[in-house]
Structure formats: C-alpha cells, structure tokens
Amino acid sequence: MFDKFSERHIGVSNEKDLKAMLDVIGVKSVDELISQVIPQSIRLRKPLALPAEGMSEYEFAAHIRELADRNQPYRSFIGMGYYPSAVPAVVTRNVFENPAWYTSYTPYQAEISQGRLEALLNFQTAVISLTGMEIGNCSLLDEGTAAAEAMAMMFSLRSRDAVREGRNQLFVDRNIFPQTLDVLLTRSEPFGIELIVDDYDEYEFTGREFGAIVQYPAADGRVRDYSDFTAAAHAKGALVTVAADLLSLALLKAPGEWGADIAVGSAQRLGTPMGFGGPAAGYMTTREAFKRNMPGRIIGVSVDRLGNKALRMALQMREQHIKRERATSNICTASALMASMTGFYCVYNGPEGLRRAAETAHLAAATVARALEAMDYRLASKEFFDTLEVEAEAAVVQSLALEQGINFYYPSEGRVRMSFDEVTTAAEIETVVSIFAAAKGKKAKAVKAVTESCVPTALRRQSPYLQEPVFNAYRSESALMRYIKKLELRDISLANSMISLGSCTMKLNAAALMQPLSLAGFQNMHPFAPADQAKGYMDLIAGLEQDLATITGFAACSLQPNSGAAGEYTGLMVIRAYHQSRGQGYRNVVLIPASAHGTNPASAAMAGMKIVTVTCDERGNIDVADLEAKAKEHSSELCGLMVTYPSTHGDFESRIREIVDAVHDAGGQVYMDGANMNAQVGLTNPGYIGADVCHLNLHKTFAMPHGGGGPGVGPICVAEHLRAFLPSHPVVATGGDEGITAVASAPWGSALLFPITYGYIKMLGAEGLRRATEMAIVNANYMSAALAAEYRTYYSGETGRVGHEMILDLTSFKKDYNIDCGDIAHRLMDYGFHAPTLSFPVHETLMVEPTESEPKEEMDRFIEALISIKRECEAAAGQADNVVANAPHTARELAGAWEHPYSRDEAAFPLAWIGEAKFFPYVSKIDNGYGDRNLCCRNCE
C-alpha cells in the first residue's frame, strides 16, 4: 500500500491538530463548517466524475514517464520561433529544478526578493544590450503576444492629431511568423485596428498608419535592411516594431541602430527548452521616451533606508490596477522564471559565448546553403542568419527526412524551410545535405564547411554587447553555481516559510509534480511537430482538458491561454464570437463588480467592451438590486457579467444564482473568474452555479509554481454552446469549428507545464480534490478565528464565516500607532515571512490565504507573528524611531553602530523560534520614489 498523495499535499493531516482547529473555529466537524460557508443551493449533489482514489507518487511517476516516452522528439529544424537550445545543466539543476526559485512570488515585496530581482535585471540588461534599445521590461509571455502588446502600445502613443484623424492602420510585413500574425488579428479587431498585410519593400505609407511590424530576420530566413522602410514610416508619423531573434543579434546590426522604436520577441532559444511551445520569456525593449507606455514590469535600481543599492519594480503599480477599464494592457503574470534562466544563460556564456552560438547556427546554414546550390536547388535568399527556404518537392523531402528522424517546416508543396541552431553538429549537416541529394536521386558529396558570413556587410553587427561585468565574470560552473546560490539566499520562497497571499494561492508545488518537466520527451518537442510524433502530449492534453471540464462542470476546455489574464481575455472573446454568430455582435456591455481584480476591467477593455460597474453593499457583496437594474437597463446590448466566486472578499455570496439568472434573462453570458477556484473544487463548480465560461489559474488552484512572477497558465472551460468558438491556431489544428483566432503563439500555450496540473488531479483523485478544498476553507477560518481578538476580519458571509481567504482590518493602525499596513509587511520580513496581499481589495488591509498545504504549526507561527507585531505597534505609538517603522533590519545594520531605542535582539529575534532558521533581508526599506525619479533598468554594477 503506497502513501496517499493527499496526505503529503495537505498540511493538516492528523486528527489531533484538526480537532484543535475546529474547536477554535467553533464547529464540531469539517462538514458543519462547509455547510456554513457554501450555500446549500449550489453544493454538488454527486462526487466529481473522476476516479475517487488518486494514484500514488510512485504510480504517477511510472505513468507520466510512459506518456513522455510516447513522444518522439525528432531532431527539429522546424524553427518558426522554437529552437533546440543548450540549456546549461547548472541552470537546470539550480534554478529550473530548485523550489527556492520556482516557488517564489512576484517580487512586489522587494526587500525579500533581491535575488530574483537581480536575475531579472540581468535578463533586462541582456535584451536591452542585444537590441540596442534604452529600456526594457523583465519579460512577457511569448513572441505573438509581445507583438500584440507593441501594437497596443504604438496605438496608445498616437498624437492627438493622429487620434483626431482616426489613424487606425497597422502595417504588418507579409514575411512574419503566421502565429504572430494570428495573435495580432485577434488583438487588433476589438480596438478597431485595421491590419495592412503587405511586402515591406513595396509598401508606401499613406499617413493612415500609426505603426508597422516587421520580422528580423524574416520568417523565411531573409536578412533585410529595414532602415529606409523605418525612415519612411517615421516621415509619416508611424512607429516601427521589430520582432527580432535575440541570438541573431549577436551577428546582426541591432534594431535600435537602424531606427526601430520597439523590439519584441521570444528569448526561448537563449537557455530554455522548446517544451512543445512554452513557457519561454517574451521580451520588449524600447526608447526611454516611451517608458510610461510600456506594459508589464520594469526592474529598476534604487536605494534603501541606509543608502545601499537596492532593486525593485520601477513604476511599480501595474497599470490595470490604476487604469482598470482605461488600461491598454492586462499583463499580470509574465514568464519570470524563464527570464531568470535566460539571464543566467547570458551570464554563463557572455558575449563570446553568444557569438559562438550564433556563428554555429549561421555557419551551419551557410554550409548547407552552399551544398544545396551545388545540387541546383534554388534558395529564397542568399542573405540569411540561420534559416533557409529552398524550392523542393516537400512530400519527397519530408518522407526522406522522417526516415532520418528529422523534421523540417513545409510552408507549401514546393518549398522546404529549415532553421539551424547552436547545437547543430557536422554530422547533422551531412545528414541534411544527404536528404536533399536523395530527393534528386543523387548521392551526396562530401560537405565542405563554410566559414564566411552570409550576412550583408551593412547589417553585420559592429557594436559591442553584454559588456557589463556580470556577463564577464562567471565562466566556470563553480562560479555560476555560487552566484546563483548567493542570489537564492536573498529571497523568501515557499522553501523558507508560508506565503499567505490572498487571491494568489501560494500552495505546495509538489516535487512529484515538478520532476516530469525535466524528461526529454516533454522538453525537446517542437510545438509544430507532426501529431503522430507527439502522442504522449496529445493524450496528456486530451486527459487534462477532460478533467478540467469535469471539475468546472463544463463541456470543453482550451489550454492555449498562457496566463490568467490571457484566460480572462480569451473567455470574453469567445463570448463575443458567440454573440456575433447569432447576429448580435452589438452586445458589448460587460457588468463588473466594483470589487473585481483590476485585470477584469482591463481584459474587458481589450476585448472592446463597454464596462458598467456594479456596486457592492456594506458587507462587500454584489448589490443584487443594482446588478438587476443595470442588466435590465442594458439588456439590448448586454454581453455579459464578469464575476469572481467566491468573491474577491473571500465570501460565497448566497444570491449568486439570482445574479446569474438576471444576466441570462437580459441576454448576456456569465464569465466566472477562476482566481478563487481553490474554494470550489469538488464542492461546487461554475457550470453547476450556472456560468457559461470560466478561466482557471493553474498556477493557483492547480499547483503550478508562481516562479517569481510566472510561468502561469490560464485555460478556459466553456459550456456546450461556446465549444465551437474555442481558440484556433494557424499552423496546428486545434480549437472549435468556428474558433476565434489564436490568443498565444503556441497551439497549446505553455504545454511543458501540463504534467504538473495533470498529476495534481490524477494523484489527488475526486476525494483528495474535495478534501484539499475543504482544508483550504478550514485553514482560513482557523486563522480568522485565532486572530479575531487582535484583528477584525473585514468581510464575512451571512453565517460569519469566510471562504478560503480573509481580509484583516488594519484601517485604524495609521491613526492609532502611526503605522500602516506597508510597515507591518516589512516587519513580517524580520519574522521570516512574506506579507499577505496588501491593501487589496480594501485599502489598509491584509488579505490572507493560508491554502490547504500549510501545517498547523506554520499557521500558528504566522498567527503568533501578527499578534507580536501588534504588541510592537502598541508599544511604538508616538515614537518615530520604532522597530516596526524601521523594518526590515539587515544583518549589516544589526552588526554595525546601534542608536535605536530598541535592542538588536528585539529587531532580529522578536520570538524564540525565529533563531532556528533566521532569514536576514538583504536590504532595508527601499526608497521607491528615488528609483522612479532616477530610473535605471540595467545592471551596471
């Protein structure tokens, strides 16, 4: 008999601890508590239609290896934005497979995030340097969505005259990756942007364009000089975005040097696996003049309270939280873990290593090109970086290539395209040439290696890159391993202590779920490989889609959206397509409660919707009368409702079915935000409640890691009538029969991550999934009750209970003690904890979500820390120099001169157990204003 995974995943697994917690809550059983939390009217009457018992970890390991072995990772020369990469083993083992890196949260609490902030700053510095731009962000989702963000950014940068003139055309060069064009089509239509797809060298700007997008090198491999084109665009007031291959920029002139305004793309080939499409870090760089319009996160250099260098997220407030319905981006999650890996890849390789990798790819292409020309093959271009397109009978070449275990890309019946990479060998070059010789019935001659460049002289890179000390200091594995460890020790992650972030569900990312990601059968698959080579992935995807549909009570699922916010957007676009199919495309009003997460109105705005805000009552619940009135008022144009359930306030609103019915009666659809699905699984679900579509944050409820701000996956599940509109893809068949165009570059988004959620469901089974939900609710109510004498829970349900999270009221602390919730967040760092969610959704509060993974001992430590901090606040009243306001305290400060009225011990070891595993913040409280006034987003050391 094997151990049950649920007993390893769920922190409170012994009856003694559970009884003690239930006693504090004031109930006799878990069932009694759940009956007080979730309205009986929406409780599932039957268990989920999944196996009741889950697999053991051992059984799952064997099962997932079998699926990986069913994939056939042929040698890929497909390219098209996805390439084999020499991922350094030292980075794989010390970052990708290290919970200290993959379980950390987005670095909003900068003082305890200095390690990953430096790793992200290295990424930023590298892409800024390679692209020749002035500023960059610390990653986006993928190349297609990065291009779409650039499109929106250029659109928002239009001058007042351009807006008045109605400039709404975007030129897109025809020679761009098809998946990028498809995402641009999806994202442009709601904004009323007209795409003009044409050839860059024949196009004449008319003055109706606000921007242009080109690929560098082009999709078919051509290296083209865009300087005249860019000058022509600028002369007509249009901005130019280039989708640039980062590795090529080691040899090609930087986009910033030939006039591009924005550079975007994917960093996948710099140190991350293909993974059947993702995750990989997207990037964006631009000119400093556009810094206020750049989406996503920017890591900046500032100083702390003691004047030491400190890193933070510059211009920190995410724009959707400020602008909401006026936002031009809904970016929230980005691929931060993969960006860190890319940063370390650049640190390890440095400028000479990147040049070596680029020359390997380029000279392999050049050698094959010469050999093909010698056999009278015609190439699309003699000027290329790593990609060749050749006229040949595709079916014949493909048959011969498959015999050799090789994949090329076949854009038409008469053309074959191949992309080389940093791991191409001389033997592989011989094999490729022999395939094309056999296609002509010839025997291949000996291949002579080419050593001269095929890049036009005018486009060869002359400027240096990666000159910063960090890219020139760590060449041995020992040196890099210690650098990674040095940064790791500056951060708090789940490897240190609980991270009780409300709305973010920082639960255990079990090692058994993470291990399969390192299997070659999952890592080395190209997303455009023939389906019969990806049978393991196809079975996994079909099984995961079915399981998620079952859990949510819906008919179908799409795994393509590669973030939670992308899932929100996708759900709305599917609803929009449904209305259009019924001749009701005019339905564009979306009702959104005032309490909603900022990405909700931002996503609605991006989907071209008109947002109508629904008020909340004094208990934090949706004002049903206001909702019914507004649904009725806008019934002729109502698209739908975006609702989070349980609410953002952590409450299962008892009138949810009335809310759903009111929207349906007015002709709208109900989109349910799945951010709080961790309180529903196995007990209720969106389909049973009556919703039409929901998205799921797999990095929350379904155990994927947060990775310091991503990866994240946001699939959507839909009712039967919406199945036909699930997103499609231009290269690989997926989605519904009337599917919307793509919302991500890869057909199934970040597929490498799917074994995590697949395994979570398979190992918990129906009973374990339900129990995990129950314990998430028990733990939240336990903490709320245990803290009740010290901290009021701001909102609760009709029975006085909370859902899986609660909001602690600190609104009087500023008045009573001259201390705010930010000070308390910083003081928690001295206790070894990451703070809960600050001032959201209510100002000057802490939103706490313990999840089901935390044991009673850890929750008790956190409770004791909060009570101790309140005592410190009371003692500090009227004293400017106090232990809370000065927090956090670094080891350097504690060891130096000491002039505070409190002792060093009080600062560092306020409770006895802290000394057992003391975490010292690397910097003290950071001066945010200084960092914004003196914006520096490069690692200049």
Side-chain angles (χ1 to χ4, degrees), residues 587-603:
R587 289 188 173 274
N588 70 339
V589 169
V590 173
L591 304 179
I592 301 179
S595 61
H597 191 281
T599 54
N600 278 192
S603 295

Side-chain angles (χ1 to χ4, degrees), residues 37 343 386 460 556 619 776 786 813 872:
V37 171
D386 67 346
R460 294 179 189 174
R619 299 181 65 89
F813 275 46
E872 292 173 341

Side-chain angles (χ1 to χ4, degrees), residues 13 279 287 333 441 791 877 892:
S13 56
R287 308 199 180 282
T333 301
Y791 295 90
R892 182 182 299 178

Side-chain angles (χ1 to χ4, degrees), residues 330 333 561-569 603 671 695-697 699 712-714:
N330 69 344
T333 301
N562 49 11
S563 80
E568 292 177 14
Y569 174 78
S603 295
Y671 160 87
H695 93 271
L696 300 170
N697 298 89
H699 53 287
V713 179

Side-chain angles (χ1 to χ4, degrees), residues 529-591:
D532 62 358
Q533 294 174 21
K535 290 179 180 177
Y537 260 121
M538 293 297 98
D539 287 351
L540 187 154
I541 287 167
L544 181 54
E545 287 178 342
Q546 180 58 53
D547 286 351
L548 292 177
T550 298
I551 288 166
T552 56
F554 284 128
C557 172
S558 169
L559 296 167
Q560 191 178 113
N562 49 11
S563 80
E568 292 177 14
Y569 174 78
T570 305
L572 291 173
M573 292 297 285
V574 164
I575 290 173
R576 190 171 183 268
Y578 166 74
H579 285 310
Q580 289 172 342
S581 75
R582 293 159 55 88
Q584 297 180 355
Y586 51 81
R587 289 188 173 274
N588 70 339
V589 169
V590 173
L591 304 179

Side-chain angles (χ1 to χ4, degrees), residues 365-398:
T367 299
V368 172
R370 177 176 289 179
L372 294 182
E373 287 180 317
M375 290 186 284
D376 297 323
Y377 279 102
R378 284 189 60 187
L379 301 178
S381 175
K382 294 179 182 291
E383 298 175 334
F384 50 80
F385 166 60
D386 67 346
T387 299
L388 307 175
E389 188 166 300
V390 57
E391 291 183 8
E393 194 171 341
V396 173
V397 172
Q398 183 174 24

